[in-house]
mmCIF file of all heavy atoms in Angstrom:
data_model
loop_
_atom_site.group_PDB
_atom_site.id
_atom_site.type_symbol
_atom_site.label_atom_id
_atom_site.label_comp_id
_atom_site.label_asym_id
_atom_site.label_seq_id
_atom_site.Cartn_x
_atom_site.Cartn_y
_atom_site.Cartn_z
ATOM 1 N N VAL R 287 -6.759 48.707 0.281
ATOM 2 C CA VAL R 287 -7.002 48.412 -1.137
ATOM 3 C C VAL R 287 -6.192 49.374 -1.993
ATOM 4 O O VAL R 287 -6.213 50.595 -1.755
ATOM 5 C CB VAL R 287 -8.501 48.558 -1.490
ATOM 6 C CG1 VAL R 287 -8.739 48.176 -2.949
ATOM 7 C CG2 VAL R 287 -9.361 47.716 -0.561
ATOM 8 N N ARG R 288 -5.484 48.844 -2.968
ATOM 9 C CA ARG R 288 -4.856 49.720 -3.965
ATOM 10 C C ARG R 288 -5.869 49.933 -5.081
ATOM 11 O O ARG R 288 -6.203 49.012 -5.820
ATOM 12 C CB ARG R 288 -3.576 49.099 -4.507
ATOM 13 C CG ARG R 288 -2.840 50.061 -5.456
ATOM 14 C CD ARG R 288 -1.616 49.442 -6.068
ATOM 15 N NE ARG R 288 -0.975 50.377 -7.001
ATOM 16 C CZ ARG R 288 -0.041 50.027 -7.872
ATOM 17 N NH1 ARG R 288 0.371 48.756 -7.938
ATOM 18 N NH2 ARG R 288 0.468 50.932 -8.680
ATOM 19 N N MET R 289 -6.352 51.164 -5.175
ATOM 20 C CA MET R 289 -7.395 51.467 -6.142
ATOM 21 C C MET R 289 -6.855 51.565 -7.562
ATOM 22 O O MET R 289 -7.573 51.392 -8.540
ATOM 23 C CB MET R 289 -8.082 52.787 -5.763
ATOM 24 C CG MET R 289 -8.677 52.798 -4.357
ATOM 25 S SD MET R 289 -9.978 51.564 -4.180
ATOM 26 C CE MET R 289 -11.226 52.270 -5.247
ATOM 27 N N GLY R 290 -5.570 51.844 -7.665
ATOM 28 C CA GLY R 290 -4.942 52.012 -8.971
ATOM 29 C C GLY R 290 -3.918 53.119 -8.887
ATOM 30 O O GLY R 290 -4.117 54.120 -8.182
ATOM 31 N N GLY R 291 -2.811 52.984 -9.604
ATOM 32 C CA GLY R 291 -1.787 54.020 -9.572
ATOM 33 C C GLY R 291 -1.311 54.267 -8.162
ATOM 34 O O GLY R 291 -0.935 53.355 -7.430
ATOM 35 N N GLU R 292 -1.377 55.544 -7.730
ATOM 36 C CA GLU R 292 -0.901 55.932 -6.413
ATOM 37 C C GLU R 292 -2.042 56.155 -5.431
ATOM 38 O O GLU R 292 -1.853 56.796 -4.391
ATOM 39 C CB GLU R 292 -0.040 57.201 -6.504
ATOM 40 C CG GLU R 292 -0.785 58.452 -6.918
ATOM 41 C CD GLU R 292 -0.850 58.672 -8.426
ATOM 42 O OE1 GLU R 292 -0.776 57.676 -9.182
ATOM 43 O OE2 GLU R 292 -0.981 59.826 -8.840
ATOM 44 N N GLU R 293 -3.222 55.636 -5.729
ATOM 45 C CA GLU R 293 -4.387 55.838 -4.868
ATOM 46 C C GLU R 293 -4.713 54.564 -4.088
ATOM 47 O O GLU R 293 -4.801 53.480 -4.652
ATOM 48 C CB GLU R 293 -5.595 56.251 -5.698
ATOM 49 C CG GLU R 293 -6.798 56.641 -4.854
ATOM 50 C CD GLU R 293 -7.977 57.100 -5.677
ATOM 51 O OE1 GLU R 293 -8.501 56.273 -6.463
ATOM 52 O OE2 GLU R 293 -8.375 58.264 -5.540
ATOM 53 N N PHE R 294 -4.891 54.737 -2.773
ATOM 54 C CA PHE R 294 -5.223 53.628 -1.890
ATOM 55 C C PHE R 294 -6.490 53.969 -1.113
ATOM 56 O O PHE R 294 -6.801 55.143 -0.897
ATOM 57 C CB PHE R 294 -4.095 53.361 -0.885
ATOM 58 C CG PHE R 294 -2.829 52.832 -1.491
ATOM 59 C CD1 PHE R 294 -1.910 53.697 -2.073
ATOM 60 C CD2 PHE R 294 -2.551 51.470 -1.473
ATOM 61 C CE1 PHE R 294 -0.732 53.215 -2.628
ATOM 62 C CE2 PHE R 294 -1.373 50.979 -2.028
ATOM 63 C CZ PHE R 294 -0.473 51.852 -2.610
ATOM 64 N N ALA R 295 -7.205 52.936 -0.695
ATOM 65 C CA ALA R 295 -8.376 53.109 0.161
ATOM 66 C C ALA R 295 -8.231 52.220 1.380
ATOM 67 O O ALA R 295 -7.789 51.068 1.279
ATOM 68 C CB ALA R 295 -9.653 52.763 -0.588
ATOM 69 N N LEU R 296 -8.582 52.768 2.525
ATOM 70 C CA LEU R 296 -8.679 51.990 3.757
ATOM 71 C C LEU R 296 -10.157 51.890 4.116
ATOM 72 O O LEU R 296 -10.811 52.908 4.350
ATOM 73 C CB LEU R 296 -7.911 52.677 4.885
ATOM 74 C CG LEU R 296 -6.401 52.419 4.930
ATOM 75 C CD1 LEU R 296 -5.700 53.532 5.705
ATOM 76 C CD2 LEU R 296 -6.110 51.067 5.562
ATOM 77 N N VAL R 297 -10.676 50.673 4.137
ATOM 78 C CA VAL R 297 -12.078 50.448 4.479
ATOM 79 C C VAL R 297 -12.117 49.876 5.889
ATOM 80 O O VAL R 297 -11.489 48.848 6.171
ATOM 81 C CB VAL R 297 -12.755 49.491 3.489
ATOM 82 C CG1 VAL R 297 -14.239 49.339 3.812
ATOM 83 C CG2 VAL R 297 -12.580 49.992 2.051
ATOM 84 N N LEU R 298 -12.852 50.552 6.767
ATOM 85 C CA LEU R 298 -12.858 50.214 8.194
ATOM 86 C C LEU R 298 -14.257 49.753 8.612
ATOM 87 O O LEU R 298 -15.134 50.584 8.895
ATOM 88 C CB LEU R 298 -12.449 51.429 9.038
ATOM 89 C CG LEU R 298 -10.988 51.884 9.039
ATOM 90 C CD1 LEU R 298 -10.475 52.211 7.664
ATOM 91 C CD2 LEU R 298 -10.816 53.082 9.968
ATOM 92 N N PRO R 299 -14.499 48.447 8.625
ATOM 93 C CA PRO R 299 -15.807 47.951 9.085
ATOM 94 C C PRO R 299 -16.031 48.265 10.563
ATOM 95 O O PRO R 299 -15.079 48.279 11.361
ATOM 96 C CB PRO R 299 -15.723 46.441 8.849
ATOM 97 C CG PRO R 299 -14.573 46.246 7.904
ATOM 98 C CD PRO R 299 -13.627 47.359 8.199
ATOM 99 N N GLU R 300 -17.273 48.517 10.925
ATOM 100 C CA GLU R 300 -17.645 48.779 12.313
ATOM 101 C C GLU R 300 -16.805 49.901 12.915
ATOM 102 O O GLU R 300 -16.288 49.780 14.023
ATOM 103 C CB GLU R 300 -17.527 47.497 13.145
ATOM 104 C CG GLU R 300 -18.413 46.359 12.654
ATOM 105 C CD GLU R 300 -18.302 45.113 13.504
ATOM 106 O OE1 GLU R 300 -17.404 44.293 13.230
ATOM 107 O OE2 GLU R 300 -19.109 44.961 14.433
ATOM 108 N N SER R 301 -16.681 50.997 12.170
ATOM 109 C CA SER R 301 -15.900 52.141 12.625
ATOM 110 C C SER R 301 -16.674 53.430 12.382
ATOM 111 O O SER R 301 -17.398 53.554 11.392
ATOM 112 C CB SER R 301 -14.558 52.209 11.893
ATOM 113 O OG SER R 301 -13.746 51.105 12.208
ATOM 114 N N THR R 302 -16.498 54.381 13.271
ATOM 115 C CA THR R 302 -17.128 55.688 13.135
ATOM 116 C C THR R 302 -16.190 56.653 12.405
ATOM 117 O O THR R 302 -15.004 56.358 12.187
ATOM 118 C CB THR R 302 -17.460 56.257 14.513
ATOM 119 O OG1 THR R 302 -16.229 56.458 15.236
ATOM 120 C CG2 THR R 302 -18.346 55.299 15.302
ATOM 121 N N ARG R 303 -16.734 57.838 12.089
ATOM 122 C CA ARG R 303 -15.912 58.868 11.456
ATOM 123 C C ARG R 303 -14.764 59.274 12.380
ATOM 124 O O ARG R 303 -13.635 59.506 11.931
ATOM 125 C CB ARG R 303 -16.778 60.081 11.119
ATOM 126 C CG ARG R 303 -16.015 61.182 10.367
ATOM 127 C CD ARG R 303 -16.836 62.442 10.205
ATOM 128 N NE ARG R 303 -18.002 62.181 9.363
ATOM 129 C CZ ARG R 303 -19.252 62.257 9.791
ATOM 130 N NH1 ARG R 303 -19.495 62.554 11.068
ATOM 131 N NH2 ARG R 303 -20.267 62.027 8.980
ATOM 132 N N THR R 304 -15.033 59.335 13.679
ATOM 133 C CA THR R 304 -13.994 59.708 14.647
ATOM 134 C C THR R 304 -12.847 58.703 14.647
ATOM 135 O O THR R 304 -11.660 59.072 14.675
ATOM 136 C CB THR R 304 -14.591 59.802 16.067
ATOM 137 O OG1 THR R 304 -15.645 60.767 16.066
ATOM 138 C CG2 THR R 304 -13.536 60.208 17.085
ATOM 139 N N GLN R 305 -13.190 57.426 14.616
ATOM 140 C CA GLN R 305 -12.145 56.386 14.589
ATOM 141 C C GLN R 305 -11.348 56.458 13.294
ATOM 142 O O GLN R 305 -10.123 56.272 13.286
ATOM 143 C CB GLN R 305 -12.788 55.008 14.744
ATOM 144 C CG GLN R 305 -13.361 54.756 16.133
ATOM 145 C CD GLN R 305 -14.173 53.475 16.199
ATOM 146 O OE1 GLN R 305 -15.032 53.225 15.347
ATOM 147 N NE2 GLN R 305 -13.903 52.661 17.216
ATOM 148 N N ALA R 306 -12.036 56.729 12.191
ATOM 149 C CA ALA R 306 -11.344 56.841 10.907
ATOM 150 C C ALA R 306 -10.412 58.042 10.903
ATOM 151 O O ALA R 306 -9.284 57.984 10.386
ATOM 152 C CB ALA R 306 -12.357 56.946 9.776
ATOM 153 N N MET R 307 -10.857 59.151 11.485
ATOM 154 C CA MET R 307 -10.008 60.337 11.562
ATOM 155 C C MET R 307 -8.756 60.068 12.405
ATOM 156 O O MET R 307 -7.663 60.553 12.099
ATOM 157 C CB MET R 307 -10.796 61.494 12.172
ATOM 158 C CG MET R 307 -11.565 62.316 11.147
ATOM 159 S SD MET R 307 -10.485 63.076 9.902
ATOM 160 C CE MET R 307 -9.451 64.118 10.926
ATOM 161 N N ALA R 308 -8.917 59.295 13.463
ATOM 162 C CA ALA R 308 -7.763 58.966 14.308
ATOM 163 C C ALA R 308 -6.728 58.175 13.519
ATOM 164 O O ALA R 308 -5.522 58.442 13.605
ATOM 165 C CB ALA R 308 -8.222 58.188 15.532
ATOM 166 N N LEU R 309 -7.189 57.204 12.742
ATOM 167 C CA LEU R 309 -6.257 56.416 11.926
ATOM 168 C C LEU R 309 -5.618 57.284 10.859
ATOM 169 O O LEU R 309 -4.400 57.210 10.630
ATOM 170 C CB LEU R 309 -6.996 55.232 11.287
ATOM 171 C CG LEU R 309 -6.181 54.391 10.300
ATOM 172 C CD1 LEU R 309 -4.910 53.842 10.953
ATOM 173 C CD2 LEU R 309 -7.027 53.235 9.747
ATOM 174 N N ALA R 310 -6.417 58.110 10.187
ATOM 175 C CA ALA R 310 -5.869 59.002 9.164
ATOM 176 C C ALA R 310 -4.826 59.937 9.776
ATOM 177 O O ALA R 310 -3.786 60.216 9.162
ATOM 178 C CB ALA R 310 -6.990 59.790 8.507
ATOM 179 N N GLY R 311 -5.087 60.422 11.005
ATOM 180 C CA GLY R 311 -4.131 61.297 11.673
ATOM 181 C C GLY R 311 -2.813 60.596 11.966
ATOM 182 O O GLY R 311 -1.732 61.173 11.777
ATOM 183 N N ARG R 312 -2.885 59.343 12.417
ATOM 184 C CA ARG R 312 -1.642 58.590 12.684
ATOM 185 C C ARG R 312 -0.866 58.360 11.389
ATOM 186 O O ARG R 312 0.370 58.460 11.371
ATOM 187 C CB ARG R 312 -1.977 57.247 13.349
ATOM 188 C CG ARG R 312 -2.546 57.380 14.759
ATOM 189 C CD ARG R 312 -2.523 56.050 15.502
ATOM 190 N NE ARG R 312 -3.303 55.026 14.843
ATOM 191 C CZ ARG R 312 -4.603 54.827 15.037
ATOM 192 N NH1 ARG R 312 -5.271 55.628 15.867
ATOM 193 N NH2 ARG R 312 -5.250 53.858 14.413
ATOM 194 N N LEU R 313 -1.572 58.040 10.326
ATOM 195 C CA LEU R 313 -0.921 57.806 9.040
ATOM 196 C C LEU R 313 -0.292 59.102 8.522
ATOM 197 O O LEU R 313 0.838 59.098 8.013
ATOM 198 C CB LEU R 313 -1.947 57.256 8.044
ATOM 199 C CG LEU R 313 -1.432 56.828 6.669
ATOM 200 C CD1 LEU R 313 -0.309 55.808 6.801
ATOM 201 C CD2 LEU R 313 -2.575 56.241 5.841
ATOM 202 N N HIS R 314 -1.008 60.218 8.647
ATOM 203 C CA HIS R 314 -0.498 61.516 8.212
ATOM 204 C C HIS R 314 0.768 61.880 8.985
ATOM 205 O O HIS R 314 1.769 62.344 8.408
ATOM 206 C CB HIS R 314 -1.584 62.578 8.401
ATOM 207 C CG HIS R 314 -1.157 63.959 8.035
ATOM 208 N ND1 HIS R 314 -0.648 64.850 8.959
ATOM 209 C CD2 HIS R 314 -1.161 64.622 6.840
ATOM 210 C CE1 HIS R 314 -0.344 65.993 8.358
ATOM 211 N NE2 HIS R 314 -0.669 65.887 7.070
ATOM 212 N N ALA R 315 0.745 61.667 10.301
ATOM 213 C CA ALA R 315 1.912 61.980 11.132
ATOM 214 C C ALA R 315 3.105 61.104 10.758
ATOM 215 O O ALA R 315 4.245 61.591 10.687
ATOM 216 C CB ALA R 315 1.562 61.800 12.605
ATOM 217 N N ALA R 316 2.846 59.830 10.511
ATOM 218 C CA ALA R 316 3.938 58.914 10.153
ATOM 219 C C ALA R 316 4.566 59.306 8.822
ATOM 220 O O ALA R 316 5.796 59.233 8.657
ATOM 221 C CB ALA R 316 3.413 57.484 10.085
ATOM 222 N N LEU R 317 3.754 59.735 7.863
ATOM 223 C CA LEU R 317 4.278 60.129 6.551
ATOM 224 C C LEU R 317 5.111 61.402 6.640
ATOM 225 O O LEU R 317 6.029 61.600 5.834
ATOM 226 C CB LEU R 317 3.132 60.325 5.552
ATOM 227 C CG LEU R 317 2.428 59.062 5.070
ATOM 228 C CD1 LEU R 317 1.233 59.425 4.197
ATOM 229 C CD2 LEU R 317 3.370 58.151 4.315
ATOM 230 N N ASN R 318 4.810 62.266 7.595
ATOM 231 C CA ASN R 318 5.529 63.531 7.711
ATOM 232 C C ASN R 318 6.764 63.430 8.583
ATOM 233 O O ASN R 318 7.472 64.418 8.775
ATOM 234 C CB ASN R 318 4.584 64.617 8.235
ATOM 235 C CG ASN R 318 3.690 65.164 7.137
ATOM 236 O OD1 ASN R 318 4.077 66.045 6.385
ATOM 237 N ND2 ASN R 318 2.487 64.607 7.026
ATOM 238 N N GLN R 319 7.019 62.253 9.117
ATOM 239 C CA GLN R 319 8.278 62.017 9.805
ATOM 240 C C GLN R 319 9.337 61.631 8.772
ATOM 241 O O GLN R 319 9.028 61.164 7.678
ATOM 242 C CB GLN R 319 8.132 60.909 10.840
ATOM 243 C CG GLN R 319 7.229 61.276 12.006
ATOM 244 C CD GLN R 319 7.023 60.104 12.946
ATOM 245 O OE1 GLN R 319 7.492 58.995 12.685
ATOM 246 N NE2 GLN R 319 6.306 60.343 14.038
ATOM 247 N N ARG R 320 10.610 61.790 9.140
ATOM 248 C CA ARG R 320 11.682 61.383 8.237
ATOM 249 C C ARG R 320 11.617 59.881 8.024
ATOM 250 O O ARG R 320 11.512 59.113 8.981
ATOM 251 C CB ARG R 320 13.042 61.776 8.815
ATOM 252 C CG ARG R 320 14.213 61.415 7.904
ATOM 253 C CD ARG R 320 15.510 62.008 8.441
ATOM 254 N NE ARG R 320 16.654 61.600 7.643
ATOM 255 C CZ ARG R 320 17.006 62.179 6.503
ATOM 256 N NH1 ARG R 320 16.287 63.183 6.032
ATOM 257 N NH2 ARG R 320 18.053 61.767 5.821
#
Side-chain angles (χ1 to χ4, degrees):
V287 183
R288 185 183 178 193
M289 303 297 292
E292 67 271 26
E293 187 178 63
F294 292 82
L296 277 158
V297 184
L298 287 58
E300 300 181 273
S301 295
T302 63
R303 184 188 295 115
T304 302
Q305 290 171 312
M307 272 300 299
L309 175 57
R312 292 195 300 272
L313 185 55
H314 178 266
L317 288 174
N318 281 276
Q319 293 175 356
R320 182 172 176 82

